[in-house]
């Protein structure tokens, strides 16, 4: 009997010690995916159809969120051209490895072949490389950046900020949509556009007008066959990737739209998910980085849950 009681007591003591040790262990940190999956409905925002482009390719739909807060005149011109069907039947005529795909009218420099612009298209716009930070809500990242004093997000766009000049701009991250131009800074009107498909070419910041970013369908652009050196322009028309159409989502019937929600960059879920990526602690990562690059912070996108 004494032996039995002693064993029972020892087992109870051992169990208590084990529970005490478990209590000392810090709670398991959640992965970015787990944090995003658990984000409340209030952490998500709907993609605005009035500021969304649907680029229809034979391979599928590319969805672009426009940035009127950064480039209001370019975005207005792009909307006019989209409503007028300017890009319908044109092509992606450039694909440069680790850089950009570019699309528009490949014959635009030939007056005899150039496609006419829709009525209302402005033929001259100011360069919209930066915007004033007056009234701008800037969700800043704490990480050091090699290209700007501060980086973070504005209206969901990856952005940089210089407090000395009071200017903000969209950073040239993977997936951003910009307006091509010639040498004069004010030579773009939004007719020739490019999407970054390579490592972020941040040297282009301050040099071109960025008008938005791709939120879905990047794989349809990044896998387009590369054009020849040095700049990826296709030598033959049949090599170009055809564009079926580019339309504003608000001009597409409701039943044909792609419903999407984006995680708000001022939400706690976004902040926590970014921290989980900054300092990964899963079984694979042996040393937390303690740093994350602006262009490596993916903005989560989801299909809204059924009501």
């Amino acid at each position: 009997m004494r032996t039995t009681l002693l064993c029972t007591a020892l087992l109870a003591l051992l169990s208590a010690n084990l529970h005490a040790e478990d209590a000392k262990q810090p709670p398991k940190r959640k992965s970015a995916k787990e944090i995003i999956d658990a984000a409340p409905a209030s952490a998500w925002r709907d993609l605005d159809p009035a500021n969304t482009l649907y680029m229809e390719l034979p391979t599928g739909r590319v969805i672009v969120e426009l940035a009127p807060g950064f480039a209001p005149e370019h975005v207005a011109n792009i909307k006019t051209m989209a409503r007028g069907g300017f890009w319908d039947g044109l092509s992606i005529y450039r694909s440069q490895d680790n850089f950009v795909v570019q699309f528009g009218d490949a014959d635009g420099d030939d007056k005899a072949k150039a496609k006419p612009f829709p009525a209302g298209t402005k033929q001259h716009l100011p360069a919209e490389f930066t915007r004033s930070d007056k009234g701008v809500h800037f969700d800043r990242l704490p990480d050091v950046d090699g290209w700007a004093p501060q980086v973070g997000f504005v209206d969901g766009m990856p952005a940089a900020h210089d407090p000395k000049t009071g200017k903000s701009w969209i950073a040239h991250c993977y997936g951003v949509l910009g307006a091509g131009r010639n040498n004069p800074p004010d030579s773009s009107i939004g007719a020739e556009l490019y999407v970054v498909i390579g490592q972020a070419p941040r040297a282009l910041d301050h040099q071109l007008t960025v008008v938005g970013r791709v939120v879905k369908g990047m794989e349809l652009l990044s896998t387009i066959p590369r054009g020849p050196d040095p700049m990826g322009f296709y030598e033959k028309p049949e090599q170009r990737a055809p564009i079926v159409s580019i339309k504003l989502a608000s001009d597409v019937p409701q039943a044909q739209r792609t419903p999407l929600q984006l995680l708000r960059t001022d939400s706690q879920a976004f902040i926590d998910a970014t921290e989980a990526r900054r300092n990964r602690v899963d079984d694979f990562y042996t040393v937390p980085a303690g740093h994350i690059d602006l262009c490596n912070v993916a903005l989560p996108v989801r299909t809204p849950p059924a009501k």
Side-chain angles (χ1 to χ4, degrees):
M1 175 68 73
R2 291 178 181 176
T3 302
T4 302
L5 290 174
L6 180 60
C7 288
T8 302
L10 288 173
L11 287 172
L13 181 60
L14 178 61
S15 177
N17 287 337
L18 287 174
H19 284 300
E21 288 297 320
D22 288 341
K24 294 178 183 178
Q25 295 295 323
K28 182 181 178 182
R29 292 180 61 179
K30 294 180 179 180
S31 68
K33 183 179 186 306
E34 289 172 328
I35 294 168
I36 293 166
D37 288 345
S42 59
W44 298 89
R45 64 181 176 89
D46 293 324
L47 195 59
D48 181 6
N51 285 309
T52 302
L53 290 179
Y54 288 162
M55 181 183 191
E56 306 291 355
L57 303 176
T59 51
R61 174 178 284 178
V62 177
I63 302 177
V64 174
E65 181 177 32
L66 296 172
F70 283 90
E73 296 207 40
H74 279 75
V75 168
N77 230 27
I78 287 169
K79 290 181 178 182
T80 296
M81 287 185 276
R83 290 194 175 101
F86 174 71
W87 291 285
D88 300 2
L90 294 181
S91 67
I92 298 171
Y93 55 78
R94 177 191 184 190
S95 177
Q96 186 173 350
D97 189 45
N98 198 32
F99 194 40
V100 301
V101 293
Q102 188 168 333
F103 59 93
D105 187 359
D107 296 316
D109 291 334
D110 186 338
K111 292 184 179 180
K113 297 181 179 180
K115 185 174 183 177
F117 295 120
T121 302
K122 293 184 179 180
Q123 301 298 305
H124 182 265
L125 299 177
E128 296 179 295
F129 300 162
T130 63
R131 66 177 288 179
S132 168
D133 63 8
K134 186 177 181 180
V136 172
H137 179 75
F138 183 61
D139 297 317
R140 183 182 174 185
L141 295 176
D143 306 271
V144 174
D145 182 73
W147 300 95
Q150 299 175 359
V151 290
F153 291 84
V154 175
D155 299 333
M157 301 287 166
H161 175 236
D162 186 344
K164 290 184 179 180
T165 63
K167 299 292 185 182
S168 298
W169 60 94
I170 297 178
H172 270 79
C173 295
Y174 180 79
V176 301
L177 177 72
R181 67 172 176 88
N182 294 318
N183 285 338
D186 60 350
S187 57
S188 66
I189 64 170
E192 304 302 313
L193 298 168
Y194 63 89
V195 174
V196 175
I197 61 166
Q199 184 174 353
R202 295 286 301 282
L204 295 181
D205 291 3
H206 290 290
Q207 312 301 324
L208 293 124
T209 297
V210 179
V211 298
R213 66 184 186 88
V214 175
V215 296
K216 189 175 179 61
M218 268 302 296
E219 72 280 2
L220 304 178
L221 299 176
S222 61
T223 56
I224 289 174
R226 303 299 186 251
D229 291 335
M231 297 182 67
F233 289 96
Y234 296 119
E235 296 172 342
K236 299 177 181 179
E238 59 267 26
Q239 295 175 305
R240 301 167 187 161
I243 296 172
V244 178
S245 66
I246 294 182
K247 290 181 169 58
L248 277 168
S250 55
D251 293 337
V252 173
Q254 182 76 39
Q256 298 175 24
R257 296 179 191 173
T258 303
L260 288 179
Q261 290 183 327
L262 295 85
L263 193 63
R264 299 174 59 93
T265 57
D266 60 351
S267 69
Q268 192 61 49
F270 180 83
I271 295 169
D272 292 344
T274 302
E275 176 58 26
R277 290 191 174 107
R278 181 182 290 111
N279 286 296
R280 295 179 187 264
V281 292
D282 57 48
D283 293 337
F284 180 82
Y285 287 86
T286 58
V287 179
H291 175 81
I292 194 167
D293 183 83
L294 169 67
C295 292
N296 283 336
V297 181
L299 188 63
V301 179
R302 73 171 185 177
T303 300
K307 295 181 179 179

